[in-house]
């Protein structure tokens, strides 16, 4: 065993000498991972939404398989993030996996949102960070309760680009079924006030694409889907200013280095070297400095609104920065505990409640990366609110949260 070990050791030394000589001669150019690296391709956050068992995960698998054949997607390694030779294990939530892939034109961060109503927390926090969405609807069943609920979340979070993928087309014998499903979905969109110019329909079968059968509705539907994602999605519209705001989703402790914060830039532009503060629950804001920014596994100089970023910050303990908090430019945000809002109460067939809401009741509010309990107070003229009602009300949060103020026009859009 010792002889074999010494032999391997000598081979490693010989290989090191050959590589060093090649670099000195210019045959090999070392690739350094520095802070000057930037992401050139546009970065888009997209996700699959829709009712449970309609094929969201199957469609995600078909996309990854198609891109894998072209060499544009590789399964992730265990160590996703590397900072100064320190490897950090990146753990995705089991009910909301996050996938990175790219096409010839763009880089994507893909969120496979759960469809069951029991996972509304993960759906709300996932959809709130999307630039576009792929609504997966079974052509056999048509739109279901969670279909409308997911569309409502998209409307409330300002997601305008939606691609409707009519899945399980291989099981449909009559083409009139497609037309009926599309009419019903378009009616949903018009009811919620979506713009028809940013809605696209594709008929296909994700399972057929995976199995390599029925190429017309299988592989070709995936090609059409990726083509629309690359060319038809209207991105932009996020406010680009120096007063950035980042919703914290996950944090990692790096030994002797500090804290790595994973989150979504909600607005503005964050740059390496910026002074920031962590807006904590029931505590005074904690000031810190952003040392490095990683965008889609590459070091970058800045992160823009809508980007998923990993920030390396200094002088912070792990318990000082947790999920649900906000990382923003120093002095640009204030906490609020009371606010007024116009709400819509979902009906039972939309995944909502069956009993009316009384004058004062306990509710749960979701703020981008986290959630907090609240007291809902109905107006004096409305003693109860029935499912399907739209009315104004007041909220009193258990914990102060950073709340942004919108004008009436902006509130209607969101």
């Amino acid at each position: 065993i010792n002889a074999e070990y010494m032999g391997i050791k000598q081979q490693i030394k010989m290989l090191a000498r050959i590589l060093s000589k090649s670099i000195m001669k210019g045959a090999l150019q070392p690739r350094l991972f520095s802070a000057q690296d930037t992401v050139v391709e546009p970065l888009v956050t997209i996700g699959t939404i829709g009712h449970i068992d309609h094929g969201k995960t199957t469609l995600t698998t078909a996309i990854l398989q198609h891109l894998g054949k072209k060499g544009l997607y590789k399964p992730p390694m265990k160590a996703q993030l590397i900072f100064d030779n320190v490897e950090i294990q990146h753990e995705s939530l089991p009910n909301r996996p996050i996938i990175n892939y790219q096409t010839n034109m763009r880089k994507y961060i893909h969120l496979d949102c759960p469809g069951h109503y029991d996972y509304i927390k993960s759906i709300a926090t996932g959809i709130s960070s999307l630039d576009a969405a792929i609504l997966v609807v079974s052509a056999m069943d048509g739109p279901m309760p969670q279909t409308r609920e997911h569309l409502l979340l998209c409307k409330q979070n300002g997601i305008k680009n939606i691609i409707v993928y009519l899945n399980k087309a291989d099981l449909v014998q009559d083409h009139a079924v497609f037309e009926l499903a599309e009419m019903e979905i378009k009616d949903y969109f018009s009811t919620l006030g979506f713009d028809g110019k940013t809605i696209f329909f594709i008929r296909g079968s994700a399972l057929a694409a995976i199995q390599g059968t029925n190429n017309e509705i299988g592989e070709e539907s995936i090609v059409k889907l990726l083509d629309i994602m690359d060319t038809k999605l209207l991105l932009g519209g996020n406010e680009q200013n120096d007063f950035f705001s980042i919703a914290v989703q996950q944090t990692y402790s790096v030994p002797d280095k500090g804290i790595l914060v994973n989150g979504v830039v909600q607005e503005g532009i964050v740059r390496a070297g910026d002074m920031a503060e962590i807006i904590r629950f029931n505590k005074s804001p904690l000031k810190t400095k952003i040392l490095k920014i990683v965008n889609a596994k590459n070091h970058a100089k800045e992160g823009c609104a809508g980007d998923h970023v990993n920030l390396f910050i200094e002088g912070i303990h792990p318990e000082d920065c947790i999920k649900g908090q906000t990382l923003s430019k120093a002095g640009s945000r204030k906490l609020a505990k009371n606010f007024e809002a116009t709400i819509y109460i979902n009906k039972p067939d939309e995944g909502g409640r069956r009993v009316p809401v009384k004058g004062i009741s306990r509710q749960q509010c979701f703020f981008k990366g986290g959630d907090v309990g609240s007291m809902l107070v109905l107006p004096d003229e409305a003693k109860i609110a029935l499912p399907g009602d739209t009315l104004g009300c007041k909220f009193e949060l258990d914990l102060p949260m950073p709340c942004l103020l919108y004008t009436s026009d902006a509130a209607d859009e969101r």
Side-chain angles (χ1 to χ4, degrees):
I1 295 175
N2 290 334
E4 291 181 0
Y5 171 74
M6 293 303 295
I8 294 173
K9 190 175 181 180
Q10 290 297 329
Q11 292 178 9
I12 293 175
K13 287 183 177 180
M14 186 180 298
L15 179 60
R17 290 195 208 101
I18 294 173
L19 290 175
S20 61
K21 290 180 180 179
S22 300
I23 292 174
M24 292 178 64
K25 292 179 180 179
L28 295 176
Q29 296 294 332
R31 176 69 171 90
L32 300 179
F33 201 47
S34 66
Q36 303 300 324
D37 296 331
T38 58
V39 180
V40 178
E41 299 87 348
L43 184 64
V44 181
T45 306
I46 196 168
T48 45
I49 61 175
H51 193 77
I52 186 172
D53 292 334
H54 275 205
K56 297 181 296 297
T57 304
T58 307
L59 179 60
T60 303
T61 306
I63 293 173
L64 299 181
Q65 178 178 292
H66 175 77
L67 295 175
K69 294 178 181 178
K70 294 186 175 183
L72 297 174
Y73 171 77
K74 294 182 180 179
M77 302 294 290
K78 288 185 178 180
Q80 297 284 339
L81 305 172
I82 300 178
F83 285 98
D84 298 335
N85 297 324
V86 178
E87 296 185 356
I88 304 161
Q89 182 69 29
H90 185 284
E91 298 178 357
S92 298
L93 296 177
N95 56 351
R96 197 192 63 187
I98 302 174
I99 307 160
N100 294 277
Y101 58 81
Q102 67 178 24
T103 62
N104 293 324
M105 299 180 63
R106 288 174 174 172
K107 285 189 175 181
Y108 293 91
I109 296 177
H110 189 113
L111 280 73
D112 189 12
C113 299
H116 201 278
Y117 66 88
D118 289 339
Y119 299 102
I120 185 64
K121 175 181 176 181
S122 293
I123 296 171
T125 55
I127 288 181
S128 65
S129 59
L130 298 182
D131 296 317
I134 304 173
L135 177 64
V136 183
V137 180
S138 172
M140 292 289 294
D141 303 326
M144 299 291 283
Q146 267 66 58
T147 306
R148 179 181 174 83
E149 186 174 339
H150 285 201
L151 287 178
L152 181 61
L153 285 171
C154 287
K155 181 62 178 178
Q156 292 171 343
N157 286 282
I159 302 172
K160 300 179 180 179
N161 297 284
I162 298 180
I163 305 172
V164 181
Y165 188 89
L166 289 175
N167 196 22
K168 305 182 181 180
D170 52 337
L171 303 179
V172 177
Q173 303 296 331
D174 189 1
H175 287 280
V177 176
F178 289 113
E179 297 177 0
L180 183 61
E182 290 182 4
M183 288 177 59
E184 195 170 354
I185 295 171
K186 288 179 180 178
D187 184 59
Y188 272 23
F189 281 116
S190 61
T191 302
L192 295 175
F194 279 95
D195 184 6
K197 296 180 180 179
T198 57
I199 309 299
F200 309 93
F201 285 86
I202 297 176
R203 302 176 183 179
S205 172
L207 184 60
I210 295 175
Q211 296 175 345
T213 59
N214 203 339
N215 188 58
E216 183 178 354
I217 61 174
E219 192 78 13
E220 290 186 5
S221 67
I222 303 299
V223 174
K224 292 179 182 177
L225 174 62
L226 293 174
D227 180 64
I228 293 176
M229 290 167 55
D230 286 341
T231 60
K232 299 297 180 64
L233 298 183
L234 302 177
L235 303 179
N238 292 321
E239 187 177 357
Q240 305 292 337
N241 52 53
D242 292 332
F243 297 97
F244 61 86
S245 176
I246 301 170
V248 178
Q249 293 184 345
Q250 289 175 314
T251 58
Y252 307 93
S253 178
V254 185
D256 301 326
K257 295 292 181 180
I259 295 297
L260 180 68
V261 177
N262 171 267
V264 180
V265 183
Q266 301 297 332
E267 65 173 346
I269 300 177
V270 56
R271 299 180 178 89
D274 284 349
M275 297 302 298
E277 63 182 10
I278 300 172
I279 302 178
R280 302 181 294 172
F281 304 132
N282 278 339
K283 296 181 181 179
S284 60
L286 193 61
K287 294 186 177 181
T288 182
K289 182 179 180 180
I290 298 174
L291 300 178
K292 296 181 181 179
I293 300 176
V294 173
N295 190 336
K297 303 181 186 178
N298 293 322
H299 280 258
K301 294 181 180 180
E302 62 184 28
C304 300
D307 290 350
H308 277 260
V309 294
N310 300 279
L311 308 175
F312 194 59
I313 60 179
E314 66 175 2
I316 301 296
H317 295 286
E319 59 271 14
D320 291 329
C321 187
I322 60 176
K323 178 181 177 181
Q325 293 179 346
T326 300
L327 182 68
S328 62
K329 190 175 182 64
S332 63
R333 290 289 182 274
K334 292 184 179 180
L335 296 175
K337 198 171 181 180
N338 301 302
F339 65 93
E340 296 181 0
T342 300
I343 64 172
Y344 169 77
I345 304 175
N346 285 346
K347 301 176 182 178
D349 57 351
E350 298 170 346
R353 58 190 298 133
R354 298 180 180 275
V355 296
V357 179
K358 297 182 180 179
I360 299 177
S361 62
R362 293 284 301 174
Q363 302 295 336
Q364 200 78 357
C365 294
F366 299 93
F367 291 85
K368 302 300 181 182
D371 61 295
V372 61
S374 66
M375 188 71 70
L376 169 64
V377 181
L378 297 179
D380 297 336
E381 60 272 12
K383 296 183 179 180
I384 61 171
L386 300 175
D389 289 349
T390 301
L391 73 163
C393 59
K394 297 181 180 180
F395 286 88
E396 181 178 348
L397 302 176
D398 294 344
L399 298 174
M401 297 290 290
C403 300
L404 301 180
L405 299 178
Y406 296 94
T407 63
S408 58
D409 294 337
D412 290 340
E413 292 180 359
R414 296 182 67 83

